[in-house]
């Protein structure tokens, strides 16, 4: 939107076939016709991933990577680096101050930390928590953290035995000592999970739910109910899933022994993990950066047919609630719906949500910022801006 103009958005539900998806009503007014009701539409527009690009043919010119933002892409090497130059026509004056920005991918945590300490880079995300005390001691370096929807999981494909048995899934949930993992892997930088992706940072977080705690005796009883005296399953992990994922899987394996469960930890290569392991191996390690709203999180990771549904978990009541809650404008009714959904996931869902991890970044004192956003790492994915 050019300076001096305002964009007013009004959403209306209409039959999808009756009207075009987006229609210009009058100058400077945009009417968006939704295929389904969405009570969170304003929040969706505020997501860092929701960007505006130039039109091209019948769609948008997304390959140029240049839109309405503060920077223009000068060079882009996927998975390696991006070079950005300030957009001289940027319409805001309160952000986007750098003339040039280098975004560099440094997968190795030690190399990433050394790049900051040596001055090669001015800020890094995903600080290695095992060495965080050493990073804090470095002159000219500041460590910062925010708590948001980032969470670490062990998803099970529920269309594959033995994970198609809800008692087996619940037994595994009671076979992991989350406090141990929070202390040893996250070094206290996070909070305990309860097998639902909705944590304390969410508006409709159900804080009153019963907790899935470490209880080997209960796990044994659940396994016996399913006909398993002893259970042996493979658990695939790589630190590509999250920093310390392999160590977390090894700790989980030790915890599970008391339940009569043998977890065979398979250390997978970091390269190709998301293509070859996640969504393919029956039991694996994963992380979710999370989404600003409950409806977005559930739509991305738990809706039937969603590309990132990593548990292949069907539940008719959950899906009914998911669709209804996304459209519900009454906050009290919505709270009740999301509470029931979280309870269903806690007991029956296919993902072990171990913990909500804080986003930890470190920066040089040569730069500064205002209040950090907590919905995602690196200032809500807006660090460049």
């Amino acid at each position: 939107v050019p300076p001096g103009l305002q964009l007013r958005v009004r959403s209306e539900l209409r039959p999808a076939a009756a009207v075009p998806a987006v229609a210009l009503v009058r100058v400077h007014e945009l009417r968006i016709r939704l295929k389904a009701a969405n009570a969170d539409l304003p929040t969706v527009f505020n997501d860092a991933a929701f960007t505006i690009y130039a039109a091209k043919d019948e769609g948008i010119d997304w390959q140029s990577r240049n839109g309405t933002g503060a920077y223009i892409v000068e060079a882009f090497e996927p998975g390696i680096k991006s070079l950005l130059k300030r957009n001289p026509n940027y319409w805001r004056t309160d952000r986007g101050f750098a003339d040039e920005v280098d975004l560099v991918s440094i997968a190795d945590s030690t190399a990433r930390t050394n790049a900051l300490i040596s001055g090669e880079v001015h800020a890094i995300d995903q600080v290695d928590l095992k060495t965080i005390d050493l990073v804090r001691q470095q002159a000219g370096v500041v460590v910062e953290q925010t708590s948001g929807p980032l969470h670490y999981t062990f998803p099970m494909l529920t269309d594959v035995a033995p994970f198609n048995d809800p008692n087996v899934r619940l037994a595994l949930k009671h076979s992991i000592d989350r406090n141990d993992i929070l202390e040893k892997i996250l070094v206290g930088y996070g909070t305990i999970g309860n097998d639902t992706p909705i944590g304390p940072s969410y508006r409709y977080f159900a804080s009153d739910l019963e907790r899935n705690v470490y209880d080997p005796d209960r796990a044994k009883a659940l396994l016996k109910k399913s006909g398993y005296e002893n259970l042996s399953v493979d658990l695939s992990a790589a630190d590509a899933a999250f920093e310390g994922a392999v160590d977390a899987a090894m700790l989980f394996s030790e915890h599970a022994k008391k339940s009569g469960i043998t977890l065979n930890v398979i250390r997978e290569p970091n390269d190709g993990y998301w293509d070859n392991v996640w969504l393919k191996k029956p039991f694996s390690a994963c992380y979710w950066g999370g989404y600003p709203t409950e409806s977005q999180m559930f739509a991305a990771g738990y809706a039937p047919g969603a590309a990132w549904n990593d548990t292949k978990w069907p539940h008719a009541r959950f899906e009914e609630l998911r669709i209804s809650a996304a459209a519900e404008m009454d906050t009290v009714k919505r709270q009740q719906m999301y509470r029931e959904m979280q309870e269903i996931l806690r007991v029956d869902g296919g993902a072990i949500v171990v913990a909500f991890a804080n986003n930890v970044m470190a920066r040089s004192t040569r730069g500064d910022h205002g209040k950090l956003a907590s919905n995602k790492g690196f200032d809500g994915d807006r660090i460049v801006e």
Side-chain angles (χ1 to χ4, degrees):
V1 182
L5 299 182
Q6 294 182 340
L7 178 67
R8 180 175 60 189
V9 174
R10 178 174 64 216
S11 62
E12 299 179 13
L13 184 61
R14 293 288 187 276
V19 293
V22 178
L24 189 63
V25 180
R26 58 177 66 92
V27 177
H28 306 146
E29 180 175 317
L30 189 70
R31 178 175 295 175
I32 299 175
R33 302 202 186 273
L34 304 175
K35 293 182 179 180
N38 186 352
D40 293 324
L41 185 66
T43 305
V44 173
F45 277 111
N46 193 47
D47 192 286
F50 195 102
T51 52
I52 300 174
Y53 297 115
K56 182 179 181 181
D57 301 325
E58 298 299 318
I60 59 173
D61 185 14
W62 63 271
Q63 289 179 308
S64 72
R65 309 298 292 178
N66 292 324
T68 58
Y71 296 92
I72 296 171
V73 179
E74 289 288 311
F76 174 56
E77 298 179 60
I80 301 175
K81 67 179 298 183
S82 297
L83 174 61
L84 312 176
K85 295 292 182 67
R86 193 178 192 284
N87 182 356
N89 301 312
Y90 188 46
W91 59 280
R92 298 189 66 153
T93 59
D94 61 341
R95 60 189 63 190
F97 302 113
D99 294 319
E100 184 177 290
V101 177
D102 276 315
L103 294 176
V104 184
S105 176
I106 308 176
D108 183 79
S109 59
T110 301
R112 191 163 59 247
T113 301
N114 288 337
L116 175 67
I117 293 172
S118 67
E120 181 183 349
V121 300
H122 297 110
I124 62 172
D125 68 347
Q126 299 180 25
V127 177
D128 185 353
L129 299 180
K130 294 190 294 292
T131 60
I132 195 167
D133 288 338
L134 294 175
V135 176
R136 287 185 182 279
Q137 295 171 17
Q138 301 299 315
V141 172
V142 176
V143 175
E144 298 170 313
Q145 63 174 314
T146 58
S147 57
L150 170 66
H151 55 283
Y152 296 161
T153 70
F154 291 117
M156 301 167 264
L157 294 179
T158 60
D159 58 353
V160 176
F163 309 115
N164 57 348
D165 188 324
N167 288 313
V168 170
R169 299 196 295 268
L170 190 55
L172 284 162
K173 292 173 183 179
H174 284 294
S175 298
I176 184 169
D177 187 341
R178 302 160 204 258
N179 288 300
D180 192 35
I181 290 179
L182 179 66
E183 177 186 347
K184 294 177 179 175
I185 304 300
L186 277 72
V187 200
Y189 286 85
T191 56
I192 295 297
N194 196 29
D195 303 324
T196 160
I198 308 306
S201 69
Y202 280 95
R203 181 182 185 184
Y204 297 111
F205 169 60
S207 60
D208 62 330
L209 290 185
E210 179 185 343
R211 309 292 299 183
N212 282 343
V213 298
Y214 184 44
D215 190 342
D217 290 335
R218 186 175 180 188
K220 288 179 180 179
L222 287 163
L223 289 176
K224 188 174 182 180
K225 190 176 179 180
S226 294
Y228 292 97
E229 289 295 334
N230 293 287
L231 180 68
S232 178
V233 294
D234 292 343
L235 173 58
S236 294
D239 285 346
F242 58 84
E243 192 70 40
V246 175
D247 290 340
M250 296 299 295
L251 284 173
F252 186 6
S253 178
E254 289 298 314
H255 304 155
K257 288 179 180 178
K258 293 184 178 180
S259 303
I261 298 174
T262 300
L263 287 183
N264 307 304
V265 177
I266 310 298
R267 182 164 193 156
E268 306 281 1
N270 284 326
D271 291 343
Y273 182 82
W274 300 110
D275 291 326
N276 304 321
V277 179
W278 184 61
L279 294 173
K280 295 180 175 63
K281 297 293 180 71
F283 199 16
S284 62
C286 179
Y287 87 97
W288 283 85
Y291 291 86
T293 69
E294 291 83 354
S295 62
Q296 287 176 279
M297 183 64 240
F298 287 140
Y302 295 83
W308 291 352
N309 184 335
D310 58 8
T311 60
K312 303 295 187 291
W313 173 71
H315 197 286
R317 175 58 178 167
F318 181 89
E319 181 60 8
E320 175 189 350
L321 288 165
R322 187 186 71 80
I323 294 172
S324 298
E328 182 57 62
M329 298 297 291
D330 186 314
T331 56
V332 174
K333 292 181 180 178
R334 214 173 185 209
Q335 174 78 55
Q336 294 169 347
M337 291 178 181
Y338 281 130
R339 186 194 184 284
E340 183 178 348
M341 292 170 72
Q342 291 170 66
E343 176 63 8
I344 292 171
L345 280 172
R346 183 188 73 81
V347 176
D348 192 85
I352 300 174
V353 179
V354 182
F356 286 83
N358 292 353
N359 290 300
V360 183
M361 63 172 280
R363 64 172 174 85
S364 164
T365 53
R366 294 176 62 189
D368 207 344
H369 52 73
K371 182 180 179 180
L372 290 172
S374 60
N375 59 304
K376 290 185 180 180
F378 255 0
D379 197 16
D381 276 350
R382 297 180 185 272
I383 189 169
V384 172
E385 184 180 89

